[in-house]
Structures are given as structure tokens and as C-alpha cells.
Amino acid sequence: AQSVTQLGSHVSVSEGALVLLRCNYSSSVPPYLFWYVQYPNQGLQLLLKYTSAATLVKGINGFEAEFKKSETSFHLTKPSAHMSDAAEYFCAVSDKDTGNQFYFGTGTSLTVIP
Amino acid sequence: EPEVTQTPSHQVTQMGQEVILRCVPISNHLYFYWYRQILGQKVEFLVSFYNNEISEKSEIFDDQFSVERPDGSNFTLKIRSTKLEDSAMYFCASKGGGRAQETQYFGPGTRLLVL
């Protein structure tokens, strides 16, 4: 089975600083990878996804993530944090063959300090 | 933009009672899912549904759980006899059926509290 590890359950950055949220997956075959964001009292919104095309993926709200097979990582970054980025971020993986269930990480809560 | 909707947003029930959580997936989607998130824990897969039958389910999805697509728009999760440990946020998701339709779109969730 797939699994996802998100290092750091809480990350705090200053407004304007770099955002780096870490995600590592365990799979012998590169899967599909996703980042979702959850704002308070809302559902999971897709930020970006990797589906074996370009390894650097750009998403909404200025976020991007780079798939690194050698490191089995899919870290999420944003050059300059905005107050509105404060939310819970989830990394998820699905099996490329079945594309069925998603396996989620435990989530990272991002706080942006003014 | 089409979105997945869920009702109710919050539900409080007594242990042993039956609850039905409702979801309206995106209209042209073919795959439907339920996930849950116990407070402070990761989002966990419960079940997937395709072509009017369960295609995959997790160990969590025991005999107390059932899913149904009673009409062309709703997708429901029933818990027959709720337990305290069923308290969680329940997310519905749906996915299109075409090639490269790998993204699951999630609803806002139903927060279930079992007392």
C-alpha cells in the first residue's frame, strides 16, 4: 500500500517569506501525487497534481511542487507567503494503475505571521 | 464551477443511532468516494463506488457502514449503529470517468459527533 509522510504538523512563516511544506511518499512505482488545501470550515481544494508529465508542477495561488523520484518527494513551495495562505495542507498519493483511493498525509497547518 | 456538496454540515447523534450522510457529486462524474478524518488524524479512505457497486473498501468500512446511490444525483453513507469512535469529519469525493481523470474533487464535509 502507498503511504505519505508530511514532516512538520505545524509550520510558521512570516508574511513574504518562503513557504516549504514537505511530503515524501513510499512507492516502488511513481504514483500520482496531489496537494490539497483546507481552509477553516471548508472542504479539500486541489492545489496542484503530478501525473508523470513535467516534474515541476505549478498550481493555484502561486504554489508549485517538484516531483523528485530519487528522493521520493513532492514538496510544496511558494516564494512569498501571504496571510491568506494560512490553512491546512494535505499531500495525497494514488496508485497510478488503479487511480482509485487516495492515501493522505497527516497534514501540515501553515501559520503566516504578519 | 461544479462542486461536490454535502449535507448536513454538522450532525450530533446518540450512540447506537443510525445516521445518513448525504452527498451530491459533480453531475457527470462516475466514481464516488467516502473518506473520514478523526480529529487530529489523517484523512482515511472508507469506500469507493462505481457503476452502482462498491469497487474498493478499507478495513474501517465494516458491516455497520453502507453506501447507496438512490437516484441519479445523491450518494449516501449510512452508519447503522453509531459508536463513539465514529465521531469524525466525513468527506465525499467524486471523479470523472475519462482518461486522465485522476483528480478527486472533495465536498466540504459533514462533522459527525456521536455522544
Side-chain angles (χ1 to χ4, degrees), chain A residues 36 38 49 90 100-102, chain B residues 35 48 56 102-104:
Chain A
Y36 284 85
Q38 184 181 28
K49 62 184 178 184
F90 294 94
N100 218 9
Q101 66 166 288
F102 277 16
Chain B
Y35 293 80
S48 59
E56 193 173 4
E102 65 284 320
T103 302
Q104 293 183 21

Side-chain angles (χ1 to χ4, degrees), chain A residues 54-98:
Chain A
T55 56
L56 181 63
V57 180
K58 293 188 185 300
I60 62 172
N61 301 337
F63 283 93
E64 61 183 38
E66 185 173 9
F67 171 72
K68 292 187 177 180
K69 182 179 177 181
S70 61
E71 299 177 8
T72 61
S73 68
F74 190 57
H75 301 331
L76 181 71
T77 60
K78 182 174 179 177
S80 177
H82 192 272
M83 295 299 294
S84 60
D85 294 328
E88 188 87 14
Y89 292 81
F90 294 94
C91 182
V93 62
S94 77
D95 190 312
K96 192 179 286 186
D97 288 334
T98 65

Side-chain angles (χ1 to χ4, degrees), chain A residues 3-4 32 34 36 38 41-46 49 51 88 90 94 98-107, chain B residues 10 31 33 35 37 40-45 48 55-57 89 91 95 100 102-109:
Chain A
S3 71
V4 174
Y32 292 141
F34 305 81
Y36 284 85
Q38 184 181 28
N41 300 315
Q42 294 188 30
L44 300 169
Q45 180 183 2
L46 180 69
K49 62 184 178 184
T51 58
E88 188 87 14
F90 294 94
S94 77
T98 65
N100 218 9
Q101 66 166 288
F102 277 16
Y103 298 88
F104 282 86
T106 50
Chain B
H10 295 77
Y31 295 84
Y33 308 83
Y35 293 80
Q37 183 184 25
Q41 299 185 25
K42 66 172 65 179
V43 178
E44 302 172 289
F45 169 77
S48 59
S55 51
E56 193 173 4
K57 60 182 181 179
M89 178 74 92
F91 292 105
K95 181 167 77 83
E102 65 284 320
T103 302
Q104 293 183 21
Y105 294 88
F106 287 78

Side-chain angles (χ1 to χ4, degrees), chain A residues 5-60:
Chain A
T5 301
Q6 289 183 243
L7 288 177
S9 57
H10 293 86
V11 170
S12 293
V13 299
S14 297
E15 191 175 15
L18 171 71
V19 176
L20 171 60
L21 304 183
R22 299 178 186 275
C23 173
N24 289 85
Y25 66 93
S26 68
S27 173
S28 57
V29 177
Y32 292 141
L33 291 155
F34 305 81
W35 275 100
Y36 284 85
V37 61
Q38 184 181 28
Y39 297 103
N41 300 315
Q42 294 188 30
L44 300 169
Q45 180 183 2
L46 180 69
L47 267 180
L48 48 78
K49 62 184 178 184
Y50 166 78
T51 58
S52 74
T55 56
L56 181 63
V57 180
K58 293 188 185 300
I60 62 172

Side-chain angles (χ1 to χ4, degrees), chain B residues 51-62:
Chain B
N51 200 25
N52 284 321
E53 61 182 22
I54 291 174
S55 51
E56 193 173 4
K57 60 182 181 179
S58 70
E59 292 177 353
I60 303 167
F61 195 87
D62 61 22

